[in-house]
Amino acid sequence: METAFINSPLGITKISGDENGISVISITSDAMEISSEIPETLTEAVSQLNEYFDGKRQDFTFATNPSGTEFQQKVWKSLLEIPFGKTMSYLDLSKKLGDVKAIRAVASANGKNPLWIVVPCHRVIGTDGSLTGYAGGLWRKKWLLEHETPSNQQSLF
């Protein structure tokens, strides 16, 4: 497993993976040294993330290989279907997965998403439209949603 640390508008981003794909993309507020060299297995992910932050990319095409339970994988796959610039409530996501009563399990799986931004857990909001639950901090969730919203709006939240 190889790891690189890059700068992003939201803090230091950690990217880990190998020849089978990227397994972890996370954000940290800790002071980490930015990688001076990016391992070859991570270069495409780094490039695409930089394009996303520059407003030049809406989806990701590099190989991923996240670890999780079968249920978590199912939730993460559903998150990939939420279009750029759109949101979905935890309740609607639970309904989409076929079990409205699984809302807490869906929220838990969403919170354990190991591929920050790429699997867009930030696009899941409360039923009332509120920003709720985000491992990276609600201010980051707000930033990401505003970054993905057309510029003709002042602010979503």
Side-chain angles (χ1 to χ4, degrees):
M1 185 76 62
E2 298 188 273
T3 298
F5 295 91
I6 64 169
N7 244 330
S8 82
L10 299 173
I12 305 298
T13 302
K14 175 185 176 182
I15 305 164
S16 298
D18 58 25
E19 63 279 349
N20 296 314
I22 303 300
S23 55
V24 175
I25 298 175
S26 61
I27 188 76
T28 182
S29 297
D30 296 339
M32 302 296 295
E33 188 173 327
I34 301 300
S35 300
S36 57
E37 291 185 31
I38 306 297
E40 187 175 334
T41 57
L42 308 179
T43 56
E44 190 58 32
V46 169
S47 175
Q48 289 186 27
L49 281 166
N50 285 330
E51 289 171 359
Y52 170 86
F53 285 118
D54 289 342
K56 299 175 183 171
R57 176 171 290 277
Q58 296 185 1
D59 57 356
F60 300 92
T61 58
F62 56 83
T64 60
N65 189 25
S67 291
T69 67
E70 185 177 327
F71 180 77
Q72 289 170 336
Q73 297 279 353
K74 183 178 174 183
V75 171
W76 301 337
K77 185 176 180 186
S78 289
L79 293 173
L80 291 170
E81 297 171 7
I82 304 172
F84 184 90
K86 302 291 182 188
T87 59
M88 176 180 278
S89 72
Y90 288 99
L91 179 61
D92 288 338
L93 185 56
S94 296
K95 287 178 183 176
K96 182 178 179 182
L97 290 165
D99 186 357
V100 69
K101 294 178 183 177
I103 190 167
R104 289 187 180 179
V106 166
S108 177
N110 192 53
K112 290 180 172 69
N113 168 25
L115 293 171
W116 181 64
I117 296 178
V118 175
V119 175
C121 57
H122 60 278
R123 296 180 190 155
V124 184
I125 60 174
T127 304
D128 62 359
S130 63
L131 293 181
T132 59
Y134 191 65
L138 291 180
W139 73 272
R140 286 187 177 105
K141 184 172 190 168
K142 180 179 185 233
W143 189 97
L144 290 165
L145 291 173
E146 289 177 351
H147 177 70
E148 294 183 1
T149 302
S151 60
N152 60 350
Q153 279 187 291
Q154 290 290 329
S155 174
L156 287 174
F157 305 98

